Amino acid sequence: MPDQTGRPTLLYRLYCGLTSVAGPFVWRTVRNKLQAADVPETRQQERQGHASLPRPDGQLIWFHAASVGETLSVISLIKRLGERLPDAEFLITSGTPTSAALIEKRMPPRTRHQYPPLDTAGPVRRFLDHWRPNAGIFVESEIWPRLIVEGASRGMPLALLNARLSDKSVEGWKKRPDTARFILDRFRLFLTQNDKTAQNLIVMGAPADRVQPGTNLKAMSDPLPIDQATLSEIRAQIGARPVWIASSTHAGEEETVLAAHAELLKRWPDLLLLLIPRHPERRAEVASLATQAGQTVAIRSNDDKITDKTQVYMADTLGETGTWYALCPIVFLGGSLKEIGGHNPFEPAQAGAAVITGPGYFNFAETFAPLIESGGALQIQSASELTEAVETWLSDQTTLDTARAAAKSCVNTQQSALDAIVETLCTELSLSGSGSTSSD
């Protein structure tokens, strides 16, 4: 059990005071964003700690996830944890309407979603008074001091799961060692993405015996959903043409992708590039880049069809990436040619694809490492290297099949690690097959 006798530091008290003063202004900004996303008033009030659903009977395990990527990994974990704890109920909190919509579509059994309370006294206490979680699991770097301290003070065991902290964040906390130790001591367990984060947490003041290096939980997310009707329709439009995918591309990356595609078209004149920009609102900009490169573009959101003249099909709609991955076994994953951190390579690998990445995948370093080592993924630096990688796999089916099998093997290895995480959570947070509600 953590020793939670440490007294609140002056900095923590100052934080509580300042957030109380700023609370009404923060609430106004948050409410405006939720209104702009057409979130109903009753659900907006969840940010003020007013629950829109009743608390279920029995043991309730609460997960807090930052946004869409974390939410996907949490959904997979809840499914496995639900099998391990058949009587448990689950609560997910996440702050964005996009993540809320995703959860509604992929809600695990015995699970409900709420928006998290603002980190001020009233909302936090109302949230905890209503839900009374038996355990709280914060995902990645969602460290909300008052919510953490208040929850722990009620006897709720806490874990920081899939922990990842930026160098800037670590340096900031190291300048405030007493407050860092005070807050981190509220946690009973830290499961980190890698050894570096584990060591950083210990340096910041986390008790070393509660820190366990793990793996990137996002690598264990369920496969992305596939719309079979759309898949059949697009396959019919493509016919027997060769295809490759550039997915989750960011500004400054499409130029490299399109330059590679131009070279590939010289050898395969009927080659189709399926281009998936990370931010669909950039569709006009990306389409203009393709046109400037002399390539004909069809746009999904315009309901354009793929014809024999289409060289680039821009898939600029949300929630269909799994369908696109099912179309093609060669995927370049963006966010990696710039210093963005990359995206989850296991999503295309789960769909049976071999993966190509730039060098800037530092947010998924521990996920890419075994993929690259096994040959399931290739790292490139430039348009010419991207051309060569795609060309190799398009021209040699045996080499492509070997790469795809290696990628799939890495996925299977990571999936088995999910059971170990479930057991660790159950042991360290005292979770059992049945439980009663925690008391104040």
Side-chain angles (χ1 to χ4, degrees), residues 135-328:
I137 300 168
F138 289 71
V139 182
E140 290 216 1
S141 54
E142 281 290 282
I143 296 179
W144 294 103
R146 188 190 287 268
L147 191 56
I148 290 166
V149 171
E150 183 78 18
S153 72
R154 298 177 181 224
M156 177 171 58
L158 299 176
L160 182 60
L161 181 63
N162 213 38
R164 176 173 60 85
L165 299 168
S166 67
D167 291 338
K168 182 179 179 181
S169 178
V170 171
E171 290 304 313
W173 280 109
K174 284 165 67 176
K175 294 175 183 176
R176 305 163 178 85
D178 292 342
T179 300
R181 278 193 298 271
F182 170 70
I183 292 173
L184 293 175
D185 194 46
R186 307 305 105 182
F187 288 98
R188 191 178 291 187
L189 172 68
F190 302 86
L191 278 175
T192 69
Q193 290 189 14
N194 50 44
D195 290 335
K196 178 183 177 182
T197 301
Q199 292 306 312
N200 280 337
L201 281 167
I202 294 170
V203 169
M204 287 164 56
D209 60 347
R210 301 181 212 159
V211 179
Q212 298 186 27
T215 188
N216 193 331
L217 190 61
K218 290 180 181 178
M220 304 174 192
S221 300
D222 284 347
L224 296 175
I226 298 171
D227 185 310
Q228 293 296 334
T230 300
L231 181 63
S232 297
E233 177 187 350
I234 300 299
R235 270 184 176 157
Q237 293 178 25
I238 295 173
R241 296 175 60 179
V243 187
W244 71 291
I245 290 175
S247 179
S248 292
T249 57
H250 291 251
E253 295 187 316
E254 287 92 5
E255 292 88 342
T256 300
V257 169
L258 292 166
H261 190 51
E263 288 300 311
L264 291 164
L265 283 168
K266 295 176 182 178
R267 179 170 177 181
W268 292 278
D270 61 343
L271 179 65
L272 177 68
L273 167 63
L274 207 162
L275 182 56
I276 312 170
R278 181 67 176 182
H279 301 107
E281 62 271 18
R282 295 183 55 242
R283 59 179 61 85
E285 172 193 347
V286 176
S288 177
L289 289 172
T291 301
Q292 292 170 25
Q295 297 168 21
T296 55
V297 185
I299 301 176
R300 170 71 172 166
S301 63
N302 291 347
D303 200 27
D304 294 341
K305 306 302 179 187
I306 299 172
T307 69
D308 291 343
K309 296 182 179 180
T310 304
Q311 295 172 314
V312 179
Y313 184 66
M314 185 161 60
D316 59 336
T317 48
L318 293 172
E320 294 190 308
T321 304
T323 302
W324 309 136
Y325 286 164
L327 284 165
C328 174

Side-chain angles (χ1 to χ4, degrees), residues 88-100:
E89 298 282 339
F90 301 93
L91 170 68
I92 304 178
T93 55
S94 64
T96 66
T98 303
S99 62

